[in-house]
């Protein structure tokens, strides 16, 4: 059986380093906001050529705190792609703001900049984009709109660690880049973890306060904050994994190339564009008989996933919030997309085998 993902296998190359980091942290007796968090924040900021990184507890919190930092008036509107993972939309709702969904481009699966401007109103305060599947959004037209309407730009980079658009890393285009280090992400921890990138010293300070009860100095609270601190243990593991992020991304890109070079054209493959450095968090194809294809692959010992089976506006949780709307492009993607194995632990031979089976469908 070829698994879709196997985190135990994926983490095997790092086990010895993890163990020594665990022991070191355990013995230090300092488990919250210590040396590991500070070191990882410096390393992750440097990796991304960003000025500041603030570690938080999850990707969802990275998004929520990014929005909270601006104190937008209640019911202000935030533009967001209609085909994202639910977390992006939840972050907007948890801040008392209104998500305004914009359809993706059917070729890139990322927010369609040509459909964005018509959704901007006097209430629009921010654009929250998502570099879905590891492919950077079309940034130039988005940045033009950001400037024209003076909007805040927050990038959901939960799937795009190390991805680049014209050489510039995702997470560095707007006010904030929000990252998740959920274990399956390209840079994954051994539990929940996240971070925010920014070049603005005062915004970085606000996130630091928000994540730690609104406090700079222990027992003195400046603003109404949260507990969303990156765990010291996870920060230690993340520093180890970060040294291998380029290797992980390049491995995934190499596996993607095998799919591109050998798969029949019956399947709709991801687009490849010049100047877009895709890190293939997910390698998705589309096919009108997606469910049949998934079943066929499983019968042939290949496990796949669907990202995502239900679009956000069709989720029960969104009833009465966004359920009235109709998003045909999202619905088409959700009905036809299939994610193929592309983990750091998969070997080239696994992918050749998958392609061989696929091409007989
Ligand atoms: C994983 C993910 C998140 C949420 O990250 P958590 O760490 O699980 O909170 C947000 N947005 C996208 C696009 C994701 O893939």
């Amino acid at each position: 059986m070829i698994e879709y993902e196997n985190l135990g296998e994926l983490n095997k190359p790092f086990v010895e380093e993890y163990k020594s980091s665990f022991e070191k942290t355990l013995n230090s007796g300092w488990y919250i906001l210590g040396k590991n968090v500070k070191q990882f924040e410096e390393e992750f900021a440097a990796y991304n050529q960003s000025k500041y990184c603030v570690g938080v507890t999850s990707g969802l919190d990275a998004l929520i705190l990014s929005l909270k930092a601006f104190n937008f008036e209640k019911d202000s509107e935030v533009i967001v792609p209609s085909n994202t993972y639910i977390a992006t939309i939840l972050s907007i709702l948890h801040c008392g703001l209104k998500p305004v969904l914009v359809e993706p481009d059917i070729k890139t699966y990322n927010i369609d900049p040509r459909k964005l401007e018509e959704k901007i109103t006097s209430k629009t305060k921010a654009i929250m984009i998502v570099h879905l599947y590891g492919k950077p959004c079309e940034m130039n037209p988005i940045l033009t709109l950001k400037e024209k309407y003076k909007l805040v730009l927050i990038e959901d980079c939960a799937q795009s660690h190390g991805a680049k658009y014209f050489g510039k890393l995702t997470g560095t285009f707007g006010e904030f880049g929000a990252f998740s280090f959920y274990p399956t992400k390209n840079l994954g921890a051994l539990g929940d973890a996240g971070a925010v990138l920014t070049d603005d010293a005062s915004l970085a300070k606000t996130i630091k306060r928000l994540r730690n009860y609104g406090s700079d100095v222990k027992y003195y609270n400046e603003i109404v904050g949260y507990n969303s601190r990156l765990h010291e243990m996870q920060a230690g593991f993340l520093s180890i994994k970060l040294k291998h992020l380029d290797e992980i991304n390049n491995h995934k890109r190499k596996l993607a190339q095998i799919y591109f070079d050998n798969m029949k054209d019956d399947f709709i493959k991801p687009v490849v564009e010049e100047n877009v450095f895709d890190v293939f968090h997910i390698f998705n194809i589309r096919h009108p008989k997606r469910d049949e294809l998934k079943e066929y692959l499983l019968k042939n010992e290949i496990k796949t996933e669907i990202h995502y089976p239900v679009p956000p506006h069709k989720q029960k949780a969104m009833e009465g919030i966004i359920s009235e709307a109709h998003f045909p492009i999202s619905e088409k993607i959700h009905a036809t997309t299939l994610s193929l194995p592309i983990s750091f632990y998969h070997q080239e031979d696994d992918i050749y085998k998958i392609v061989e089976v696929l091409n007989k469908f």
Side-chain angles (χ1 to χ4, degrees), residues 60-339:
L60 175 62
D61 278 6
L63 293 165
I64 292 176
L65 299 195
S66 294
L67 283 170
K68 282 273 175 190
F70 297 100
N71 259 320
F72 293 129
E73 228 173 285
K74 198 174 170 327
D75 295 325
S76 295
E77 294 173 2
V78 179
I79 287 175
V80 65
S82 56
N83 61 324
T84 184
Y85 178 56
I86 194 85
T88 326
I89 293 168
L90 291 180
S91 74
I92 299 167
L93 294 172
H94 285 313
C95 291
L97 307 171
K98 186 172 176 246
V100 174
L101 277 59
V102 172
E103 286 258 74
D105 181 322
I106 188 71
K107 287 211 239 20
T108 64
Y109 310 126
N110 278 327
I111 195 163
D112 189 340
R114 285 154 293 275
K115 299 211 172 101
L116 210 158
E117 190 164 16
E118 65 196 49
K119 295 290 182 89
I120 297 173
T121 71
S122 58
K123 283 183 149 187
T124 309
K125 292 293 185 295
I127 309 175
M128 192 174 248
I129 57 168
V130 183
H131 306 292
L132 199 71
Y133 305 151
K135 189 196 301 301
C137 294
E138 221 179 304
M139 291 312 301
N140 286 337
I142 294 170
L143 291 171
T144 303
L145 291 173
K146 168 182 165 49
E147 286 311 311
K148 185 170 168 192
Y149 293 95
K150 305 271 172 273
L151 300 174
V152 163
L153 176 66
I154 298 169
E155 302 171 69
D156 180 340
C157 303
Q159 306 190 358
S160 69
H161 317 73
K164 288 176 230 161
Y165 178 81
F166 284 85
K168 190 169 163 62
L169 282 139
T170 59
T172 63
F173 287 91
E175 278 75 5
F176 284 121
F179 290 78
S180 163
F181 307 121
Y182 182 82
T184 59
K185 310 290 187 187
N186 286 30
L187 178 60
L190 303 182
D192 276 312
V196 167
L197 292 181
T198 182
D199 276 340
D200 184 312
S202 127
L203 287 178
K205 191 173 171 188
T206 303
I207 300 289
K208 278 194 170 176
R209 283 177 167 176
L210 283 170
R211 78 166 171 192
N212 192 24
Y213 293 117
S215 157
D216 302 326
V217 178
K218 207 172 180 180
Y219 304 133
Y220 292 83
N221 309 90
E222 310 296 329
I223 55 174
V224 178
Y226 299 82
N227 175 354
S228 182
R229 301 172 293 228
L230 172 60
H231 296 183
E232 188 67 2
M233 280 289 179
Q234 298 303 339
F237 301 142
L238 283 166
S239 281
I240 293 162
K241 197 79 157 282
L242 179 59
K243 286 187 285 174
H244 301 279
L245 177 57
D246 287 341
E247 185 191 336
I248 291 167
N249 285 343
N250 287 331
H251 183 80
K252 286 165 83 78
R253 284 171 54 84
K254 193 170 68 187
L255 300 184
Q257 200 55 49
I258 297 175
Y259 282 127
F260 282 124
D261 292 346
N262 299 282
M263 205 190 312
K264 281 197 304 192
D265 287 330
D266 298 24
F267 308 102
I268 301 171
K269 304 172 199 179
V271 281
V272 179
E273 293 159 296
E274 232 183 296
N275 295 311
V276 172
F277 188 85
D278 190 328
V279 295
F280 296 101
H281 170 59
I282 284 164
F283 188 94
N284 81 311
I285 55 173
R286 287 198 302 116
H287 194 279
K289 292 189 176 147
R290 189 268 317 276
D291 292 340
E292 233 175 90
L293 176 60
K294 188 175 189 351
E295 196 55 36
Y296 162 81
L297 289 171
L298 189 61
K299 273 201 196 111
N300 286 281
E301 310 255 289
I302 297 162
K303 285 196 189 165
T304 55
E305 290 282 342
I306 297 170
H307 297 97
Y308 299 92
V310 182
H313 69 280
K314 294 264 186 183
Q315 296 284 359
K316 189 153 179 285
M318 294 299 136
E319 272 173 26
I321 300 173
I322 46 172
S323 60
E324 70 281 1
H326 183 49
F327 299 99
I329 298 171
S330 294
E331 283 167 30
K332 187 171 174 182
I333 295 169
H334 286 79
T336 55
T337 192
L338 186 69
S339 308

